[in-house]
Amino acid sequence: MAKLLIIGCGGVASVAIHKCCQNSEVFTDIMIASRTKSKCDAIKEQLEGKTATKIQTAQIDAMDVAALAALMRSYAPDAVLNVALPYQDLAIMDACLEAGVHYIDTANYECEDTNDPAWREIYEKRCKELGFTAFFDYSWQWAYDEKFKKSGLTALLGSGFDPGVTSVFSAYALKHYFDTIETIDILDCNGGDHGYPFATNFNPEINLREVSAPGSYWEDGRWIEIPAMSIHREYDFAEVGKKDMYLLHHEEIESLAKNIPGVRRIRFFMTFGQSYLTHMRCLENVGMLSTTPVEFNGQQIVPIQFLKALLPDPASLGPRTVGKTNIGCIFTGLNDGKKKTIYIYNVCDHQECYREVGSQAISYTTGVPAMIGAMLVAQGKWQKPGVYNLEQFDPDPFMDALNRWGLPWKVDENPATVE
Ligand code: NDP
């Protein structure tokens, strides 16, 4: 019996909303609040009559803390699920503190205007101190820990697939398979084909910024940064086949390095086809990935935002995408003094997702864990005052829920490793 306020109404939100409505025993009431209310109303119309969950909608600017807090006070939810954009994380956390509501998101804070001098100063200090240059990091949200503790509220950070399920896989491996984990390789394989020469599977701005940034990994207590796409491996994924994958910086490396005791190395690899990479390099070379506004015909435009307007809407890829994803973690370590290697992973089929909730697998693999994280917090199973990443909670209820809500996982006890 829980009431959830969902902020954002894009690709990931749509899946989370469908899943909450399938799970109406827990989510008796939801409110969908986003920038464009017509999108919220369209989903409400689509689901009403097919679910026992009562759905309300609202227009909200998620950068407006006062308006958010007022909405939270009037709706009085048990928790807020932030599936808008990482730019809004801090505003929504501030509003949760003001209104006294638990907080869940799927991606860590990123500044929308990376030329903002106040943000740049802190960013550049962090680059020097920590040694990675990604525009996003956990420091901004971890800094809220004391405030959430004092308010008796839980903030659950990164309840998507990666981060999210990969974080839970890590806690599960540590709890059930290892005395110590030495290395973690997170593999994100999308074997799906949407038939377009170039499109991104989730928000293009966030996706292209992530992929075009330098890669980095954690080894022996420090970050090692490498030029974008400069470490390449091939891996043979179960149910997908052989794919090229590249080492990227990814946000869960930062929290796992802190929360998995004694871990020596953590890397993240994502698969990309050659066509995607060629398009991305070209767009980067001509300046289309820039976040710095340029003046065009008397108007200020941000190149990457203009590009987003030209690219296919990720939400429209669902009907066209065929194939499967295989996402998981290879763990090596010691158990009872013996070396051990396992791969915990999920395989998800784009077309099956589309038939079930009208979305492709990338939105599905993020929206399902977003619902599960919100459920565990709202039910009180994962409540602890403060700001936490998913690997800091007991993984078992989350792992059970993955099997129940559409993302069944497997453990391969003899996987190929990545060199
Ligand atoms: P979309 O761009 O499809 O959706 C974002 C939604 O947020 C849109 O509905 C948009 O409104 C709304 N929004 C944006 N700005 C505001 C604002 N100021 N006020 C209110 N609403 C706003 O993105 P996705 O669904 O693809 O991604 C959602 C989140 O999930 C992102 O944070 C992304 O980083 C994260 N993610 C996490 C993954 C994981 O595995 N952990 C994987 C994939 C994504 P409008 O409709 O008007 O544009």
Side-chain angles (χ1 to χ4, degrees):
M1 299 281 280
K3 218 173 166 183
L4 185 69
L5 172 60
I6 298 168
I7 299 181
C9 194
V12 173
S14 167
V15 176
I17 293 161
H18 276 82
K19 285 288 166 180
C20 287
C21 290
Q22 288 178 12
N23 190 3
S24 47
E25 265 178 37
V26 171
F27 294 107
T28 49
D29 297 82
I30 61 170
M31 175 182 272
I32 315 163
S34 190
R35 180 166 56 191
T36 313
K37 187 168 174 286
S38 56
K39 291 192 191 170
C40 312
D41 292 334
I43 295 194
K44 175 179 150 111
E45 202 173 302
Q46 195 189 337
L47 286 165
E48 256 175 359
K50 298 181 191 144
T51 174
T53 303
K54 286 191 210 80
I55 308 170
Q56 293 183 52
T57 61
Q59 199 282 328
I60 193 74
D61 173 4
M63 297 300 261
D64 184 340
V65 178
L68 281 166
L71 183 67
M72 290 179 201
R73 281 202 194 93
S74 71
Y75 185 61
D78 296 291
V80 167
L81 174 62
N82 167 15
V83 270
L85 296 178
Y87 310 139
Q88 285 96 44
D89 288 2
L90 302 183
I92 300 175
M93 289 175 86
D94 282 328
C96 282
L97 287 167
E98 230 177 282
V101 185
H102 302 297
Y103 171 88
I104 299 103
D105 70 24
T106 65
N108 69 8
Y109 174 66
E110 192 167 334
C111 181
E112 187 159 17
D113 175 11
T114 51
N115 294 308
D116 172 8
W119 177 85
R120 273 245 151 223
E121 195 186 326
I122 299 171
Y123 164 74
E124 273 158 20
K125 184 166 172 279
R126 188 268 284 164
C127 289
K128 270 198 207 117
E129 280 172 10
L130 295 187
F132 66 90
T133 56
F135 287 141
F136 49 88
D137 73 272
Y138 276 115
S139 64
W140 300 88
Q141 291 179 278
W142 284 343
Y144 279 67
D145 186 48
E146 228 16 74
K147 289 188 207 162
F148 272 78
K149 279 202 167 81
K150 275 195 191 128
S151 310
L153 295 171
T154 303
L156 183 67
L157 306 186
S159 194
F161 204 105
D162 42 345
V165 176
T166 52
S167 324
V168 176
F169 283 171
S170 301
Y172 187 79
L174 189 60
K175 181 172 176 183
H176 297 286
Y177 286 90
F178 293 94
D179 295 325
T180 50
I181 291 178
E182 280 173 10
T183 67
I184 306 175
D185 277 333
I186 302 160
L187 311 188
D188 182 331
C189 163
N190 181 7
D193 182 4
H194 45 58
Y196 284 118
F198 185 72
T200 63
N201 293 302
F202 68 99
N203 184 285
E205 208 180 322
I206 306 295
N207 181 238
L208 289 166
R209 272 166 73 157
E210 173 178 278
V211 171
S212 58
S216 60
Y217 59 100
W218 175 263
E219 192 166 42
D220 296 326
R222 66 192 178 99
W223 288 94
I224 296 170
E225 189 158 273
I226 54 154
M229 302 291 168
S230 59
I231 295 186
H232 161 246
R233 300 282 187 272
E234 190 188 65
Y235 195 80
D236 194 358
F237 289 91
E239 297 185 51
V240 174
K242 282 190 183 152
K243 290 277 167 195
D244 288 323
M245 59 184 194
Y246 296 82
L247 188 145
L248 299 187
H249 174 82
H250 223 246
E251 63 185 67
E252 67 266 52
I253 301 177
E254 198 188 350
S255 75
L256 291 171
K258 196 173 120 194
N259 294 323
I260 302 295
V263 64
R264 195 178 59 72
R265 189 187 69 200
I266 312 172
R267 303 183 296 186
F268 180 96
F269 290 92
M270 191 178 270
T271 62
F272 293 100
Q274 287 313 314
S275 167
Y276 181 98
L277 293 180
T278 307
H279 277 82
M280 196 192 73
R281 280 194 197 111
C282 173
L283 290 166
E284 190 173 25
N285 288 341
V286 298
M288 281 304 286
L289 302 190
S290 169
T291 55
T292 306
V294 292
E295 190 164 316
F296 180 74
N297 282 351
Q299 214 184 325
Q300 292 281 315
I301 56 168
V302 176
I304 198 166
Q305 287 177 358
F306 179 67
L307 175 64
K308 180 180 179 218
L310 297 177
L311 289 174
D313 178 358
S316 72
L317 300 178
R320 312 171 51 103
T321 309
V322 292
K324 292 178 181 179
T325 61
N326 176 323
I327 319 176
C329 306
I330 301 174
F331 300 97
T332 69
L334 290 175
N335 193 41
D336 291 334
K338 287 195 206 94
K339 281 191 183 292
K340 191 173 182 74
T341 303
I342 63 169
Y343 181 46
I344 312 185
Y345 66 100
N346 160 263
V347 172
C348 196
D349 183 299
H350 285 286
Q351 283 296 299
E352 275 175 25
C353 297
Y354 186 70
R355 277 191 293 275
E356 185 195 322
V357 298
S359 302
Q360 33 82 355
I362 304 302
S363 301
Y364 190 90
T365 53
T366 311
V368 171
M371 180 282 283
I372 295 172
M375 172 178 76
L376 295 178
V377 171
Q379 288 176 319
K381 291 185 182 163
W382 270 22
Q383 270 183 29
K384 190 156 64 166
V387 175
Y388 298 96
N389 296 89
L390 276 73
E391 66 273 13
Q392 292 177 276
F393 287 94
D394 177 9
D396 293 353
F398 201 108
M399 293 294 272
D400 291 344
L402 287 171
N403 283 332
R404 170 153 186 220
W405 293 106
L407 294 176
W409 42 273
K410 290 182 184 157
V411 181
D412 178 351
E413 299 211 29
N414 189 23
T417 52
V418 180
E419 176 208 321

